Amino acid sequence: MSDLLAARSQMAMSLAFHIVFACIGIGMPLLMVISEGLWLKTKNNVYLVLAKKWAKGTAIMFAVGAVSGTVLSFELGLLWPQFMLHAGPIIGMPFSLEGFAFFLEAIFLGIYLYGWDRVKPKVHWFSGIMVMLSGMFSGIFVVMANAWMNSPVGFEFVDGKFTQIDPYAAMFNPLAWNYALHMTLAAFVSVAFVVAGIHAFVLLKKPHSEFHYCALKIALYVGIVTAILQPISGDLTAKNTAVHQPAKLAAMEAHWETEKGASLNIGGWPDEEKEQTIYAIKIPYLLSFLAFGKFNAEVKGLKEFPKENRPPVAVVHIAFQIMVGCGTFLMFLGVLAAYFFIRKQAINDKRWFLKLLVLAAPLGFIATEAGWTVTEVGRQPWVIYNIMRTSEAVTDMPNLVVPFIVFTILYIFLFVMVVYLMRLYVMNSYED
């Protein structure tokens, strides 16, 4: 394994691990706030107990997420010093704001966890809202920095140096709001359906449990809204990608020839040697319409770009198909749940639907991991799109495979411990 591949693999593993906890830090506070708000309105103690139990689970995930996030910040400097040397002054502002938001989240989470009997109920509820907002903005600021790597603006690049830096333009780059919206919705969708799946599993055994039915309804209300909005935000992101990263779009769709009225490939396997996609279901004109809003719009193909500037097509295309497939199924479940709620039908009596929710529980996180694969691998071979190659940003330190192996073992251990602790917590907490 080359040092470059080891560095990229370590970063990918760290990010894949951390993103789960980042999503939970964004999504769970919303569920807590809704539950406590319902308690303040109805005085039904079920909502109070539910908010407290969700808060404890959130605290466990927050602690692990804080550690894994700290590791990522160190890896940026240690593994990619050339990137940080040049990009640091440009994207330092969103990273600094992310740190500020993280500290706010930690402070208000402390108030929320230990202030139940120490502050007034509405003040306590406000602290939960602040946990939700600070966690959400913490994620948004990081995504803005990542969006800059995909659509770099706010500087002049002269003789290999970044000059005339405008940190505001860099922070609010062309992809910033699309990426931020898409990632935030992904966090809400992922958390909502995991929580729905957990409580649906218990309802299969205890179909008349008020506690679990209330929890399921709150999770599904969030899941319905966000799962339906997510494809809309994805469409906006894809349209911006078509303009700012045409090579990534071509890899996402495994689209080889530049043509008007381009077909959309559903499934299929990209053969990068023969430069064609086999076994795909093709829908004529749809890619042009989805990318540019016109059925006859021209879409650039991968052959338009030198081979050394193309991303790994198979990885990006398959990951994109997984993301879209998972998101589509969750949207279907959201629409189905909305239909039941509108018709005032009891979901706890529909065992087949509860089983679907259990099976679908991990799909949001699978889609999120696949989406980040599309974003990061689809940008290759660039760490700053069309400015700096990933190979130019990596450290000169040799034997990077050693820390990669060490961190892999560490993350596997942490993963096993988190699963064990959460299994014990769920078993002990959700017995009513």
Side-chain angles (χ1 to χ4, degrees):
M1 177 181 284
S2 67
D3 287 333
L4 175 60
L5 180 57
R8 288 183 59 195
S9 300
Q10 182 175 335
M11 200 73 189
M13 177 190 58
S14 300
L15 182 59
F17 185 84
H18 175 70
I19 199 170
V20 173
F21 302 98
C23 286
I24 293 171
I26 294 171
M28 279 305 301
L30 176 60
L31 301 184
M32 294 176 346
V33 166
I34 293 174
S35 185
E36 187 176 2
L38 289 171
W39 171 68
L40 290 172
K41 181 179 180 179
T42 66
K43 299 304 178 183
N44 185 341
N45 281 332
V46 168
Y47 294 118
L48 177 61
V49 174
L50 182 58
K52 289 183 176 181
K53 290 185 181 295
W54 278 344
K56 291 179 181 178
T58 302
I60 295 173
M61 295 299 190
F62 179 84
V64 180
V67 174
S68 59
T70 302
V71 171
L72 270 172
S73 65
F74 277 109
E75 287 178 344
L76 278 173
L78 294 174
L79 296 178
W80 312 102
Q82 293 303 313
F83 167 73
M84 292 305 295
L85 174 65
H86 296 289
I90 304 175
I91 57 175
M93 187 165 68
F95 276 134
S96 299
L97 290 173
E98 188 277 334
F100 180 74
F102 171 78
F103 285 126
L104 275 181
E105 183 182 10
I107 291 168
F108 282 104
L109 182 60
I111 296 173
Y112 195 84
L113 291 173
Y114 299 105
W116 287 101
D117 301 318
R118 294 176 173 84
V119 297
K120 294 180 180 180
K122 289 186 178 179
V123 174
H124 186 270
W125 185 58
F126 174 76
S127 70
I129 293 175
M130 290 303 297
V131 172
M132 177 190 70
L133 291 176
S134 54
M136 185 173 65
F137 278 104
S138 179
I140 287 173
F141 290 135
V142 170
V143 171
M144 282 181 161
N146 180 267
W148 177 84
M149 295 165 65
N150 289 273
S151 56
V153 293
F155 62 90
E156 291 184 11
F157 191 65
V158 181
D159 296 329
K161 296 181 179 180
F162 293 84
T163 61
Q164 303 296 318
I165 294 172
D166 183 348
Y168 291 98
M171 182 172 170
F172 299 103
N173 59 80
L175 290 175
W177 290 117
N178 287 121
Y179 275 30
L181 176 62
H182 199 56
M183 183 61 229
T184 303
L185 287 174
F188 288 137
V189 172
S190 301
V191 170
F193 278 97
V194 161
V195 172
I198 291 172
H199 291 282
F201 178 78
V202 181
L203 282 170
L204 286 170
K205 300 178 181 180
K206 301 178 180 181
H208 301 295
S209 168
E210 182 185 6
F211 174 85
H212 294 288
Y213 191 49
C214 288
L216 177 65
K217 287 194 295 182
I218 292 173
L220 282 180
Y221 281 133
V222 174
I224 288 168
V225 175
T226 54
I228 293 173
L229 289 177
Q230 183 70 319
I232 299 173
S233 85
D235 178 66
L236 294 174
T237 302
K239 283 179 167 57
N240 266 338
T241 300
V243 174
H244 297 284
Q245 291 181 296
K248 178 188 284 187
L249 179 75
M252 288 161 56
E253 300 292 348
H255 177 67
W256 296 94
E257 302 288 346
T258 298
E259 59 182 340
K260 295 182 178 180
S263 299
L264 180 73
N265 290 327
I266 299 179
W269 180 260
D271 188 331
E272 297 188 50
E273 290 187 3
K274 296 182 179 180
E275 297 186 329
Q276 62 182 14
T277 302
I278 56 177
Y279 309 124
I281 300 173
K282 295 182 177 291
I283 303 178
Y285 302 102
L286 189 55
L287 178 56
S288 290
F289 178 76
L290 291 176
F292 297 103
K294 297 179 181 179
F295 287 105
N296 288 317
E298 182 178 271
V299 179
K300 288 186 178 181
L302 286 160
K303 292 182 180 179
E304 191 82 12
F305 307 94
K307 289 186 177 182
E308 64 271 16
N309 290 344
R310 298 176 191 171
V313 184
V315 175
V316 176
H317 178 66
I318 298 302
F320 181 69
Q321 298 293 305
I322 291 172
M323 180 188 69
V324 172
C326 292
T328 301
F329 186 70
L330 292 178
M331 182 183 67
F332 166 73
L333 288 182
V335 172
L336 201 56
Y339 172 80
F340 293 145
F341 285 139
I342 292 172
R343 297 295 296 270
K344 297 182 179 180
Q345 297 180 11
I347 294 177
N348 54 328
D349 293 332
K350 301 182 184 299
R351 294 184 61 83
W352 63 270
F353 185 66
L354 294 177
K355 290 179 181 178
L356 279 180
L357 289 176
V358 173
L359 291 174
L363 293 185
F365 282 108
I366 292 173
T368 300
E369 297 283 7
W372 270 102
T373 300
V374 172
T375 299
E376 296 303 291
V377 179
R379 191 183 60 246
Q380 299 306 314
W382 309 98
V383 64
I384 304 174
Y385 191 65
N386 282 339
I387 299 292
M388 177 183 288
R389 290 180 178 271
T390 308
S391 58
E392 297 170 344
V394 71
T395 178
D396 294 329
M397 185 178 70
N399 300 319
L400 293 180
V401 68
V402 175
F404 169 58
I405 293 173
V406 172
F407 274 87
T408 299
I409 295 171
L410 174 62
Y411 278 121
I412 291 174
F413 173 75
L414 284 174
F415 174 77
V416 172
M417 290 302 298
V418 169
V419 170
Y420 175 74
L421 289 173
M422 290 307 298
R423 181 175 178 273
L424 285 179
Y425 171 73
V426 170
M427 292 176 63
N428 293 332
S429 295
Y430 293 150
E431 291 292 334
D432 54 0

